[in-house]
């Protein structure tokens, strides 16, 4: 008795498994092949048994519970060339179906296309086996069956001239693994998108056991990788879709680009220049994504800030190796920019030896204004309460200043360009907690932990913690246990005496990165995402029309003066460069150096509570001691510091000297 429609035993109710051929062997009389016939055919032809589609578990062969089940889980096709007869002929002029409805009830033309792609994949699979044998025979690929040494290792040279190799393109189409960014609208069907091989980009494949080594035809040479990255940034990131929709696709494809560079181990000067340029743009993409996708309206389910920081760290690490290995072959004009990103990115690093490592950099890099500013940000954000490693027992950070006021003031200043501010934004929550803990402990000691403390209004706390609006500051304080109340005159304040205890707790320990408009986004100057990733300055982006449509400058006539800080050195015109070497503020220009962050004797715009306990201290005295770029006094037996060991900065009393910012 046949099973009712829709039940497990119903033949028509079971859709084909993804990546598996729906072909079912037929018996001698045209009916379904029974188990006995199937086992006999498998014995004669050495073919893999196929589960019968008639009924449930009772009709399944025990052989299908082994490798075939694991292969189906991987999405690998289980058909064999000899198990179906496909008529050869020209490729049908149709497109591949994508929706589940068409996949389960294919039309005649879609069935023809499906059969053609499966036959093409079988042919390419056979050619791939022969190609692997030839590559091993010619010494282009290592033989996996023979042991070898590191000295005899073979470096693969890529030969693929497409964004994605043909074998992978056909394989992913057959297995329904085509991303939506690789599809185009159907020619005749509305609301339907079909794969386009011209838009397909190589996926990242994690090296793992069971995967064969990639062939030279799978790997793209440096020039093709550069063109692929151009396509991803200009057409995908710069396309009509929001960054949140395309981020996962670009994240995976840029990882594959880095992997292809790593496999080939480029050493020629021109190839090194291409590799460095690609890694720089990929790093900018990750930095930009961390900032843009922190916006509440751009939150994506697939976005993981931890994984984004991990890939940024890997990209910067590879980039530093490229800089060091190619120092005698070529000059990298953007190296100070990315050294500065590395410094800020290590604010929460467990190794407190950044100062020692920085001394090994070339003097031109170490004394660069951008690097010096990053070092000041690092020292201002670091605190002595968080222990540093990796040695045990861990010790406090020796160069920590915990100067949150200076940190936020530096971020807001013209000395910090847009992307550098985006990197600093990653640690805003860490700096804010240090500031709030310091304020709380100061009033706790002053009042003895008793009574209300109404000295800090909500507006003062908002400015001190670097928030955009008071609601963000109020939520942040309430998460740490503080009470936000109103005075008799209606002014809102944060009761610093409402938290008792020894330590400051946080009910939202896994707080996400907050999007900052006043400190970070205002530095964008309306540039499009591709313009920022490609390193265009604000003036160059405006000259090329790479400005968002809804951008409006609220600063009026001061915009032209502010944008002069974004012009390259010696630039007298606004003519755009093909490949600029900076992403924003040119810190080496005379105007950028002459504009101070804060005039001596004036209070910080962030740290101005109505009844601040620091007012009674008066104006701080000028520090006349020689300082390193971290602010730590230099250790020297002579009256003058060693210029090869330390980069000095002017003190507050040196008003005649230009500001280092």
């Amino acid at each position: 008795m046949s099973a009712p429609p829709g039940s497990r035993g119903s033949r028509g109710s079971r859709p084909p498994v993804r990546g598996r051929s729906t072909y079912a062997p037929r018996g001698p009389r045209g009916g379904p092949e029974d188990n006995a016939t199937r086992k006999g055919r498998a014995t004669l032809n050495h073919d893999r048994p196929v589960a019968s589609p008639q009924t449930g578990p009772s009709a399944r062969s025990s052989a299908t519970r082994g490798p075939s089940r694991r292969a189906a889980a991987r999405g690998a096709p289980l058909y064999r060339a000899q198990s179906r007869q496909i008529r050869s002929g020209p490729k049908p002029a149709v497109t591949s179906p994508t929706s589940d409805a068409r996949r389960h009830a294919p039309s005649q033309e879609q069935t023809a296309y499906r059969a053609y792609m499966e036959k093409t994949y079988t042919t390419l699979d056979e050619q791939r086996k022969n190609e692997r044998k030839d590559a091993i025979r010619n010494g282009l690929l290592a033989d996996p069956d023979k042991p070898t040494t590191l000295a005899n290792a073979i470096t693969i040279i890529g030969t693929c001239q497409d964004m994605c190799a043909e074998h992978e393109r056909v394989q992913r189409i057959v297995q329904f693994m085509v991303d939506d960014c690789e599809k185009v609208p159907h020619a005749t069907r509305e609301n339907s998108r079909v794969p386009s091989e011209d838009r397909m980009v190589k996926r990242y494949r994690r090296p793992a056991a069971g995967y064969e080594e990639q062939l030279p035809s799978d790997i793209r040479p440096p020039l093709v990788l550069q063109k692929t990255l151009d396509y991803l940034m200009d057409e995908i990131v710069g396309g009509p879709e929001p960054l949140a929709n395309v981020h996962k696709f670009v994240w995976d494809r840029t990882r594959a680009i880095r992997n292809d560079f790593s496999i080939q181990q480029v050493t020629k000067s021109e190839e090194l220049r291409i590799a460095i340029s690609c890694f720089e743009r990929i790093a900018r993409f990750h930095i930009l994504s961390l900032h843009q996708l922190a916006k509440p309206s751009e939150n994506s389910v697939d976005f993981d800030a931890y994984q984004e920081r991990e890939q940024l760290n890997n990209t910067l690490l590879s980039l530093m190796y490229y800089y060091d290995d190619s120092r005698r072959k070529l000059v990298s004009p953007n190296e100070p920019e990315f050294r500065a990103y590395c410094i800020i990115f290590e604010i929460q690093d467990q190794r407190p030896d950044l100062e020692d490592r920085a001394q090994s950099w070339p003097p031109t890099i170490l004394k660069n204004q951008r690097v010096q500013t990053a070092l000041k940000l690092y020292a201002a954000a670091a605190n002595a309460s968080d222990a540093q490693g990796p040695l045990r027992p861990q010790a406090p950070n020796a160069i920590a200043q915990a100067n949150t006021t200076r940190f936020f003031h530096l971020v807001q200043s013209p000395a910090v360009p847009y992307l550098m501010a985006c990197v600093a934004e990653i640690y805003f929550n860490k700096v804010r907690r240090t500031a709030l803990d310091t304020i709380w402990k100061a009033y706790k000691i002053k009042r003895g932990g008793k009574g209300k403390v109404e000295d800090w209004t909500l507006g003062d706390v908002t400015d001190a913690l670097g928030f955009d609006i008071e609601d963000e500051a109020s939520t942040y304080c309430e998460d740490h246990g503080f009470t936000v109340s109103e005075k008799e005159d209606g002014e809102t304040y944060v009761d610093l005496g409402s938290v008792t205890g020894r330590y400051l707790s946080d009910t939202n320990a896994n707080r996400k990165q907050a999007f900052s408009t006043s400190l970070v986004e205002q530095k964008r100057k309306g540039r499009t995402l591709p313009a920022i990733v490609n390193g265009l300055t604000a003036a160059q982006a405006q000259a090329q029309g790479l400005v968002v449509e809804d951008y409006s400058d609220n600063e009026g006539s001061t915009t032209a003066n502010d944008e002069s800080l974004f012009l390259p050195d010696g630039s007298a015109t606004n003519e755009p460069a093909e490949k600029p070497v900076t992403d924003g503020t040119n810190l080496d220009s005379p105007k950028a150096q002459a504009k101070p962050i804060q005039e001596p004797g004036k209070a910080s715009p962030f740290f101005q509570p109505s009844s601040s306990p620091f007012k009674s201290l008066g104006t701080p005295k000028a520090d006349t001691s020689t300082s390193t770029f971290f602010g730590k006094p230099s250790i020297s037996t002579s009256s003058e510091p060693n210029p090869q060991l330390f980069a000095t900065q002017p003190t507050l009393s040196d008003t005649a000297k230009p500001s280092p910012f």
Side-chain angles (χ1 to χ4, degrees), residues 407-416 518-519 522-523 605-606:
F407 175 82
F408 286 121
H409 194 198
L410 277 170
V411 172
Q412 191 183 39
S413 69
V416 176
S518 59
L519 297 179
Q522 56 92 15
K523 296 175 178 288
F606 292 102

Side-chain angles (χ1 to χ4, degrees), residues 317-328:
L317 183 62
S318 300
L319 192 56
M320 296 305 109
Y321 283 130
Y322 274 122
Y323 287 146
D324 294 335
D325 296 341
S326 63
R327 197 168 305 283
R328 297 183 179 181

Side-chain angles (χ1 to χ4, degrees), residues 284-513:
R284 291 193 188 109
F285 166 75
H286 289 304
I287 294 172
L288 191 61
S289 298
L290 283 168
H291 168 64
Q292 290 294 330
L293 296 183
K295 189 185 304 182
S297 60
E298 297 291 337
N299 280 344
S300 175
V301 180
D302 299 326
F303 178 70
D304 189 337
Y306 176 80
Q307 291 185 353
E308 196 73 22
R309 292 194 299 268
E310 182 183 27
Q311 294 307 312
L312 173 60
N313 179 74
N314 296 339
T315 305
L316 291 175
L317 183 62
S318 300
L319 192 56
M320 296 305 109
Y321 283 130
Y322 274 122
Y323 287 146
D324 294 335
D325 296 341
S326 63
R327 197 168 305 283
R328 297 183 179 181
K329 295 182 179 181
L330 52 89
V331 177
S332 302
N334 296 336
E335 183 176 355
E337 173 190 348
F338 290 90
R339 291 285 183 183
Y341 298 156
C342 286
I343 293 170
I344 302 174
F345 195 65
E346 292 188 17
I347 286 178
Q348 205 168 1
D349 198 350
Q350 294 183 352
R351 299 175 299 168
D353 61 337
L354 176 62
E355 185 177 15
D356 297 333
R357 286 183 281 126
Q359 302 301 326
S360 63
W361 298 348
T364 56
I365 303 297
L366 184 59
K367 296 179 181 179
N368 184 274
Q369 195 65 41
R370 193 186 298 254
V371 174
Q372 290 293 309
T373 304
L375 290 170
K376 293 178 177 65
L377 282 172
Y378 178 89
N383 61 74
S385 59
D386 294 339
Q388 301 285 315
L391 299 178
R392 303 287 181 174
Q394 293 183 341
N397 195 330
I399 52 88
Q401 296 178 358
N403 193 341
T404 57
T405 305
R406 189 187 190 204
F407 175 82
F408 286 121
H409 194 198
L410 277 170
V411 172
Q412 191 183 39
S413 69
V416 176
Y418 178 56
L419 286 180
M420 190 182 293
C422 291
V423 181
E425 187 188 53
I426 300 174
Y427 303 105
F428 276 10
N429 287 331
K430 174 183 174 66
V431 177
R432 284 164 179 160
R433 192 185 189 285
T434 301
L436 188 61
D437 184 70
T438 302
I439 298 172
W440 171 65
K441 288 181 178 179
Y443 277 89
K444 181 181 178 182
I445 296 174
K446 179 181 178 181
R447 300 295 179 90
K450 299 179 181 179
K452 293 183 179 181
V453 179
E454 302 179 356
D455 295 347
W456 283 76
T457 66
L458 185 58
D460 297 333
V461 176
T462 301
D463 295 337
L465 301 185
F467 283 107
D468 291 335
I469 56 178
E470 293 184 355
D471 290 343
E472 296 176 348
S474 176
T475 303
Y476 187 83
C477 292
E478 290 174 350
D479 289 342
H480 287 80
F482 292 102
T483 302
V484 180
S485 307
E486 289 188 3
K487 299 179 182 179
E488 296 180 357
D489 57 358
E491 189 176 20
T492 307
Y493 71 97
V494 177
D495 185 7
L496 298 177
S498 58
V499 176
T500 59
R502 188 173 181 181
Y503 300 103
L504 191 64
S505 61
D506 188 359
T507 59
N508 188 11
N510 297 324
R511 181 179 289 101
K512 295 182 179 180
Q513 176 180 334

Side-chain angles (χ1 to χ4, degrees), residues 34-35 38 50-62 64-65:
D34 56 10
N35 290 339
R38 184 183 309 107
V50 181
S52 173
Q54 292 180 355
T55 56
S58 61
R60 290 197 182 101
S61 172
S62 60
T64 62
R65 299 189 182 98

